[in-house]
Every structure is written in structure tokens, then in C-alpha cells.
Amino acid sequence: MKKLVILGAGTAGTMMLNKLEPVLDRDEWQITIVDQFETHYYQPGFLFIPFGIYNKKDVIKPKRDFFPTSAEVIFSAIDRIEPKENKVSLQNGTVLSYDYLIIATGSKIHPEETEGMKEAGWHKNIFDFYTIEGAMALSKFLKYWEGGKLVLNIVEMPIKCPVAPLEFVFLADWWFTEQGIRDKVDIEFVTPLPGAFTKPKASNVFGDFLDKKNIQLVPDFNIARVDSEANKIISWDEKEVNYDLLVTIPTNMGDEAIARSGLGDELNFIPTDKETLQAIGHDNIFVIGDATNLPSSKAGSVAHFEADILLENFLCAIEGRALRAKFDGHANCYIESGFGKGILIDFNYDTEPLPGKFPLPGVGPFSLLEETKMNHYGKMLFRWMYWNLLIRGSELPIEAQMTMAGKRR
Amino acid sequence: MATREIAGKQIEFDDEGYMTDHTQWTKEVAVVLAAEDGISELTERHFAVIDFMRKEFEANGTGPSIRKLTKQSGVPTKELYQLFPGGPAKKAARIAGITKPQGCI
């Protein structure tokens, strides 16, 4: 029996398991998946929790619901991977050997990386929304807040879902308007980037949206520390921004087990071939999703497109054929912009987000880099697609590789 | 793309002002580029950073992130921002003659 071990049963790992299980011969392959937690979170839904649009039960399901019966499932944290011996040691004492390994251990926030962040103000008037705990605590806070200065701060790049911070301030603008207190709230978007987003054209479009919604943009701000006594954040070059409510996107890092295994970079992300998705220097290890160091977005859509490429390359690798499929960095993001509308972007390593129609050229129904009601419906429909199609490994009507059809330069 | 004469050498730059060929770089070139970015004098500490960035670039084909810089070059973050005001990773990369770091996604 040959052995395939998948580390991590989040979006990427679960999807990969469900794509490989039907195609690998059960008499030849034993598939094992490892994760330390039994609950699957629909992470794109965390954004909606602070504003009462979703609650906890909308974003959680047991992981077991998504595992095929033939797969061996182990709930344990990972101690370390030993790539030279083709072995993985788990914290429950089990040692797994493998012929092939797929690493899908994701990324997590680390507020403790910023001085003063996790002190007196943490979950009092400083919140994250990248964890269920943070999103729930912020939801409770907002119910009673009477206004003041809301500061959203991105600590450093890269972050999971780079559009989520923009969506948060767009939704906050809408939500405070609905509550009748928009005139009592100042919103500031404080980012280490030179503009609203990482890619120039989209950055300009989003910058205009911030303007229109009366949200102040503070670019080139690299936070050094939080002073939670004086309620201010201070940059490395001693600029200060005061806040009454700080919503932080803390440093994102890969799993600690990756560091223990000596497989990661300074943020515990794994150096990965940007086309084949193999771990650099290890032909029998593939990496997918947020765990990679690829210059693509850390997002579910990226993991989804990578999964199709990885599947093809995995099947080549086990038969000793050359790897043919090439990942192009494709990402596709629905951006909630408030008041029942949304913006859609579709891009890859080489092509920045452009205007146009998606997925059918000239038809849509979705519009790229434009704010429409239809884009918002796409976002809301996506939760159903996620639970019922995406992580079950079903085909979606979007190609893995980005197409220029329907886009305008 | 543009070619300029700096310190007696014809040097090529990309649209954002980064050198396209790091082997054309010399200390004299660095001094001129630094002055253009408002840094009037390059000290030993500046060169500690610049040398580290060039070594990283030669090994990996890309400049290091600020996090890697502070972890491995021995220059603390605070000092980095004092040495290269307004964005150490990008500014030091330009002065070190390497391409713009890929940090931003």
C-alpha cells in the first residue's frame, strides 16, 4: 500500500482529499488526513458576524461531515515533519510514514507579534475579526457602541484575504448609517501599503470608494506598537493614530509545526514552486492554500484553483510523468461594499484586476471592478456553494486558470 | 526602462526606479541613489543593511522582507526606519541596486 498524508483539514486540505479520494485506487492507496480541530469554519463568513448578518451557527460545521468514509482521519496537532525520512510525528505520539505528503496547514493571526496589542485593550476596545472569538466579541461591542473613532489597521503583509479589511470598513460605513450614528463615527483605514490595495488599478478604484464613503485612508503606516492606555497606535517612524475602537489585522503566520520542521520562511510559510506547487527541494511534498509562500492572495478561491492544478500534477508525479499543470496565481474575490452591493475582482500573478464581465464575456452576470447588486448576491450565494460544492471537491463553473476573455485593459 | 549615467557608468533602471542589473552596482552608485532618496550620507550601518540585501538577492532572486532583515541582519526594526526613512525594505532595495521586493501581493 502506498501512503498519502494530508496535513490540515481546512478549506484546501478537505478539498484536496475529496478530489483525490475518488481517483486513487483504494487497493493501492491509503489516504490519511490530520487536523487538530474537529470544527470546520467558513472563514469568509467571519466578516459578517460583527454586523449581526451571520451568527456562529452560520459558519461552523463538523469536519467529519466532509470526509469520505475510506479516508483515515486523525485529530491531533502536528509535532514535526521529517522530510528526509518521509515521516510526520504527531503530538498524540503517532508517527505516520508517507510516500507523498500534501501540506495544507494554513495561516493564523499572531496579535502577540505587535508590542502592546494583547494587553489591557485586547477584546475590550481592540478586536480582530479573523477568529470566531474575535468576531463574536466585536459583534457584542458594536451593539452598545455609541460612536467615536474606528481605526482599522493592517499590521503587515501578507494577510489572509487581502480584501477583507476593505470590506470591513465598507460594511461599517453601511452599518453605522443603518444604526443612525454614522455622523458620530469617524472611520480610518490605516495600512502599510501605499494605497487601498496591493495592485495599482484596483487600488485606485478602492481608494475612490473609500473617499465616496467618507473613510480616511492613512497609507505607508508600519505599526511598531499599541499604547492601549492612551488608545493610540504608533508606527516605527513615530507617527501616531488615535482610536476609540481598534480593529486589527494582526501578523499572519504559517503553522508552528512548519517552523519546528525547518520547512518555513521567517513567517513559517513554505517555499513552494509557484507553478507546480511542489515544496522547493522536496519532490514528494506538495503545498496548497495559505501555507505556501506564493506571491498570490491567501484566499479560498486561490486554494480552489490550486487544487485543480495540484490534482493534475499529483497524478503525474505518482506515475513518474513530468508535471504538466502550471498554477498562474489566479484569484477571484467578491468584495462586499455595503448597502446590498458588491465589487468583483479576478486576477493572477501577471494580470492585475481589470474591469469587464464575469464569468461570461460581455454577459456577466457579474461585473468586474464595479459595484453592483448582482455581485453582492454572488457573495451571499457563495456560502451555499462553499458548504455544498467547493469543499466537497465538486467542479465549479470557473476555470482554474484566469482568462482575459471579458476583461478590458 | 531608462538608462542613466551614474558615477561614470551607464546604468539601466525599471519604471519604478530600481536597477535592472544588480551586477552594475558599486558603492559609488549607492551613494548617488541614496542622495536621490534624501539620504545624504551612507554609514557603516547603512552598508550592513545594503550588503545583507545584496547577499539575500544573490541567493534567492528577491530582496528580504523587513522581518527577515531585522531577524538576520542584526539591525533592529526601529533603526532600519531611521536609516532608511519611509520604507526600509523598498528604499534599501533601490540603493542596494536590486529589484523591488515582492512583499506586496
Side-chain angles (χ1 to χ4, degrees):
Chain A
M1 278 294 255
K2 280 184 268 186
K3 289 177 184 159
L4 164 64
V5 174
I6 300 175
L7 298 179
T11 305
T14 305
M15 200 161 40
M16 228 36 250
L17 172 64
N18 284 318
K19 280 183 186 286
L20 282 163
E21 194 270 344
V23 294
L24 292 181
D25 187 337
R26 264 181 223 188
D27 296 329
E28 274 183 48
W29 285 90
Q30 169 66 49
I31 311 180
T32 305
I33 191 162
V34 179
D35 199 291
Q36 55 186 320
F37 302 114
E38 301 201 15
T39 302
H40 191 110
Y41 292 99
Y42 173 59
Q43 295 180 66
F46 289 179
L47 167 73
F48 295 110
I49 289 176
F51 307 107
I53 301 167
Y54 285 172
N55 59 37
K56 197 171 173 180
K57 73 173 185 349
D58 293 318
V59 299
I60 58 174
K61 286 189 194 292
K63 284 193 164 141
R64 286 210 183 268
D65 289 4
F66 306 101
F67 297 146
T69 48
S70 73
E72 181 191 18
V73 179
I74 301 177
F75 287 112
S76 164
I78 302 154
D79 176 34
R80 72 191 64 219
I81 302 158
E82 291 165 67
K84 282 203 188 103
E85 269 110 67
N86 296 329
K87 274 197 304 208
V88 182
S89 312
L90 305 183
Q91 288 192 352
N92 71 1
T94 311
V95 177
L96 298 169
S97 63
Y98 62 81
D99 295 283
Y100 282 89
L101 182 68
I102 295 176
I103 305 180
T105 42
S107 101
K108 272 193 311 233
I109 59 161
H110 285 267
E112 76 285 354
E113 286 283 316
T114 306
E115 186 187 328
M117 181 86 82
K118 271 199 111 171
E119 282 165 28
W122 186 247
H123 288 187
K124 302 275 190 321
N125 68 338
I126 304 176
F127 301 90
D128 72 281
F129 65 92
Y130 275 53
T131 60
I132 189 78
E133 297 78 17
M136 298 290 289
L138 179 53
S139 164
K140 211 166 159 190
F141 177 92
L142 284 177
K143 272 187 200 156
Y144 301 99
W145 199 43
E146 289 171 352
K149 189 167 158 196
L150 160 63
V151 169
L152 183 135
N153 175 236
I154 300 168
V155 170
E156 64 182 304
M157 298 300 285
I159 58 168
K160 198 186 304 225
C161 192
V163 295
L166 281 167
E167 297 185 276
F168 185 88
V169 290
F170 292 157
L171 281 175
D173 166 63
W174 160 77
W175 195 78
F176 292 126
T177 306
E178 292 278 296
Q179 306 302 307
I181 59 166
R182 183 62 182 91
D183 58 337
K184 297 192 181 68
V185 180
D186 289 321
I187 308 178
E188 269 186 27
F189 187 83
V190 183
T191 169
L193 297 170
F197 193 58
T198 53
K199 313 264 178 175
K201 216 166 243 155
S203 188
N204 289 339
V205 173
F206 295 139
D208 291 344
F209 276 108
L210 290 176
D211 255 2
K212 212 171 70 185
K213 293 170 190 289
N214 199 17
I215 297 164
Q216 205 76 35
L217 172 69
V218 180
D220 298 314
F221 187 98
N222 289 284
I223 187 173
R225 60 189 193 277
V226 181
D227 183 343
S228 59
E229 304 261 294
N231 288 333
K232 59 187 181 188
I233 54 176
I234 301 124
S235 72
W236 288 107
D237 47 4
E238 299 297 333
K239 289 182 283 193
E240 296 187 352
V241 172
N242 294 303
Y243 64 82
D244 296 303
L245 164 59
L246 176 63
V247 176
T248 176
I249 319 294
T251 302
N252 277 226
M253 292 174 83
D255 201 86
E256 291 87 353
I258 302 303
R260 284 193 292 271
S261 313
L263 281 171
D265 64 12
E266 64 277 13
L267 286 168
N268 306 343
F269 295 125
I270 304 165
T272 305
D273 186 295
K274 63 190 273 209
E275 291 183 338
T276 67
L277 305 177
Q278 277 167 313
I280 288 173
H282 305 281
D283 287 352
N284 63 340
I285 303 180
F286 287 90
V287 194
I288 182 171
D290 296 351
T292 75
N293 76 334
L294 297 184
S296 54
S297 292
K298 295 198 180 296
S301 69
V302 174
H304 164 219
F305 301 134
E306 286 171 343
D308 288 337
I309 305 294
L310 203 162
L311 174 67
E312 204 177 324
N313 281 344
F314 184 85
L315 297 176
C316 285
I318 60 175
E319 291 174 356
R321 293 181 287 143
L323 308 191
R324 277 185 318 207
K326 289 185 173 146
F327 182 56
D328 66 350
H330 191 188
N332 180 277
C333 312
Y334 286 86
I335 301 154
E336 270 302 284
S337 55
F339 301 93
K341 291 184 180 171
I343 308 163
L344 177 63
I345 55 175
D346 190 64
F347 58 106
N348 68 12
Y349 289 141
D350 305 318
T351 310
E352 65 168 321
L354 295 170
K357 292 286 179 191
F358 185 88
L360 298 174
V363 178
F366 303 115
S367 306
L368 297 166
L369 263 187
E370 256 178 74
E371 194 185 33
T372 68
K373 278 197 164 26
M374 188 52 95
N375 290 342
H376 161 73
Y377 296 135
K379 176 108 185 172
M380 299 322 270
L381 187 68
F382 190 72
R383 183 167 58 113
W384 184 89
M385 302 228 298
Y386 182 89
W387 290 127
N388 293 288
L389 300 173
L390 188 89
I391 60 170
R392 293 179 196 271
S394 304
E395 293 284 322
L396 295 188
I398 305 177
E399 292 297 318
Q401 272 171 339
M402 198 204 76
T403 167
M404 277 306 290
K407 294 191 174 68
R408 301 189 305 272
R409 280 215 187 259
Chain B
M1 287 286 232
T3 310
R4 291 195 285 148
E5 189 181 312
I6 292 178
K9 292 181 91 172
Q10 292 294 320
I11 293 178
E12 263 188 41
F13 290 88
D14 68 12
D15 296 338
E16 292 178 289
Y18 292 83
M19 283 174 59
T20 53
D21 178 3
H22 74 284
T23 61
Q24 293 184 318
W25 181 91
T26 61
K27 285 196 173 185
E28 290 70 39
V29 172
V31 170
V32 176
L33 295 178
E36 288 174 1
D37 280 349
I39 300 169
S40 56
E41 196 199 340
L42 287 180
T43 63
E44 236 173 78
R45 295 299 278 173
H46 286 103
F47 278 110
V49 176
I50 289 168
D51 290 345
F52 178 78
M53 296 205 75
R54 290 185 58 81
K55 235 185 266 157
E56 271 292 308
F57 184 81
E58 276 160 17
N60 304 319
T62 173
S65 63
I66 291 192
R67 183 172 278 270
K68 193 166 191 181
L69 256 176
T70 50
K71 249 190 177 170
Q72 297 180 7
S73 74
V75 181
T77 315
K78 180 95 201 165
E79 191 187 341
L80 269 180
Y81 278 87
Q82 287 160 352
L83 292 169
F84 301 95
K90 278 186 243 167
K91 215 171 238 189
R94 204 179 91 82
I95 297 169
I98 63 175
T99 54
K100 190 175 169 183
Q102 289 173 348
C104 298
I105 297 151

